[in-house]
Amino acid sequence: MKSTNQNYNSLTPETMEPSTQVTTTNTKSSNFLAFIKGIFAFCAVTLSLFHVFFSSTSSELITEQVNYKKIVKERDSINAYTINLFKKNQITKDEYLAFADTHFQLYKEKLKNKSKLKKELAMDFSFRGRQSFHFWIFVFGLVTALFFFSCKSLYDDILKGSTYKFHFVSLTGILISGFWFIHLIFLTQNDFAQNKYISVIIIGAIIFSAFVYSLVKHHTYKDDIIYKQLSFIKRVKKIYYDDIAFRAMYAEKSGKAYESEKSLNDCIDEFQEDLKQVTSNI
């Protein structure tokens, strides 16, 4: 036993067997993938909060809105002043009508130009048919969170071996999120107000849901197989290997077989049965 312990203690990365090195590499790779998945899950759940980092409107649009209000206020003020002059008989009716007509046309043109400029600025600041990226990322984040939790719920249901009726709520969440993904990416706010292309979106959402369901189902079964294999390796290490190693060491030291209620053949049969169950669905 002393020499065995010395051999274990003398192991270094340089003296490790290739299989051990591969296992270590795979473990690091699995940890890295788990880290990436964690980051992705965090971003998916909190994406709607990222809207605070973006402005809801542009400074140019704010300035033009203020200028527009100033022009309206100036027009109304001049209108009130001329009406007051007319009431006091300081100008004639014809003078008032001629001034009002010229004044109306002048400010009508000014306000028309300002409205056109505001519309152009709003269009330039819009994103994917919505008024701003600030608004778009907020709604898109909410839909992404719904999609993430629906997929996670579906994954857990399949992993537990639930029947299809338990998948209905999760599939509904995926269908709704798919509907809004299509709407947010391909359509505009005007389409939302008019309910355009509703049948096309629903068909697309159904196809999207079917694809996601098959993808989640595939990865769920794959993960389940991996978990079962890892669990089996753990049992081999803590149960079967220890038992057989103890029997071998006892026989080597005492020169006779270890007597117990469970024979060596029983241990081998138990191991074979466990291995058969693990590999039956692979």
Side-chain angles (χ1 to χ4, degrees), residues 5-252:
N5 291 334
Q6 289 176 347
N7 290 335
Y8 282 130
N9 293 332
S10 63
L11 286 175
T12 63
E14 292 75 13
T15 61
M16 289 171 60
E17 294 183 359
S19 59
T20 307
Q21 294 178 355
V22 171
T23 302
T24 304
T25 303
N26 290 338
T27 301
K28 292 181 179 179
S29 177
S30 299
N31 292 337
F32 177 74
L33 290 176
F35 174 76
I36 295 299
K37 289 180 180 179
I39 294 295
F40 174 78
F42 175 80
C43 292
V45 174
T46 61
L47 184 60
S48 62
L49 301 179
F50 290 3
H51 77 283
V52 299
F53 299 111
F54 304 95
S55 176
S56 59
T57 186
S58 65
S59 58
E60 293 86 357
L61 185 56
I62 294 174
T63 300
E64 291 305 322
Q65 287 173 341
V66 173
N67 292 337
Y68 185 89
K69 291 180 180 179
K70 286 182 179 179
I71 294 175
V72 172
K73 186 176 181 180
E74 181 181 315
R75 180 200 62 185
D76 294 343
S77 177
I78 294 175
N79 282 340
Y81 176 73
T82 54
I83 290 173
N84 188 50
L85 289 178
F86 177 72
K87 287 181 179 180
K88 292 180 179 179
N89 295 320
Q90 295 180 2
I91 59 174
T92 64
K93 179 180 178 181
D94 292 338
E95 289 176 333
Y96 170 75
L97 291 176
F99 176 81
D101 184 60
T102 303
H103 174 73
F104 174 79
Q105 292 297 331
L106 176 64
Y107 280 90
K108 179 182 179 181
E109 191 66 24
K110 284 185 178 180
L111 293 176
K112 182 179 179 181
N113 292 334
K114 284 296 179 182
S115 297
K116 182 179 179 181
L117 179 58
K118 288 198 305 177
K119 187 176 181 179
E120 290 175 353
L121 291 173
M123 185 68 67
D124 292 338
F125 194 74
S126 64
F127 182 83
R128 305 303 301 174
R130 268 63 183 183
Q131 62 186 15
S132 65
F133 183 74
H134 170 93
F135 176 76
W136 186 89
I137 195 67
F138 170 72
V139 180
F140 189 82
L142 294 179
V143 176
T144 303
L146 172 63
F147 175 71
F148 174 80
F149 285 115
S150 297
C151 289
K152 187 178 184 304
S153 175
L154 179 62
Y155 175 88
D156 293 338
D157 288 340
I158 296 176
L159 196 62
K160 293 176 182 177
S162 302
T163 57
Y164 286 104
K165 65 180 181 181
F166 290 98
H167 304 168
F168 178 74
V169 175
S170 301
L171 281 172
T172 302
I174 294 174
L175 178 65
I176 294 174
S177 58
F179 177 92
W180 287 115
F181 276 141
I182 296 173
H183 207 295
L184 287 168
I185 295 173
F186 299 105
L187 302 179
T188 66
Q189 189 70 21
N190 292 333
D191 297 319
F192 172 76
Q194 299 175 17
N195 291 323
K196 290 184 177 180
Y197 316 114
I198 187 71
S199 58
V200 176
I201 302 175
I202 291 177
I203 293 173
I206 292 174
I207 296 173
F208 174 78
S209 301
F211 172 76
V212 172
Y213 177 78
S214 61
L215 189 65
V216 172
K217 189 174 182 180
H218 170 74
H219 282 282
T220 302
Y221 288 151
K222 183 178 178 181
D223 289 345
D224 185 44
I225 291 173
I226 293 174
Y227 292 149
K228 287 181 179 179
Q229 290 177 341
L230 291 175
S231 178
F232 175 72
I233 292 172
K234 187 175 181 181
R235 290 195 299 274
V236 169
K237 180 180 178 182
K238 291 191 173 183
I239 299 176
Y240 304 122
Y241 175 78
D242 286 349
D243 191 15
I244 295 175
F246 174 78
R247 290 173 179 272
M249 290 172 59
Y250 180 86
E252 181 182 4

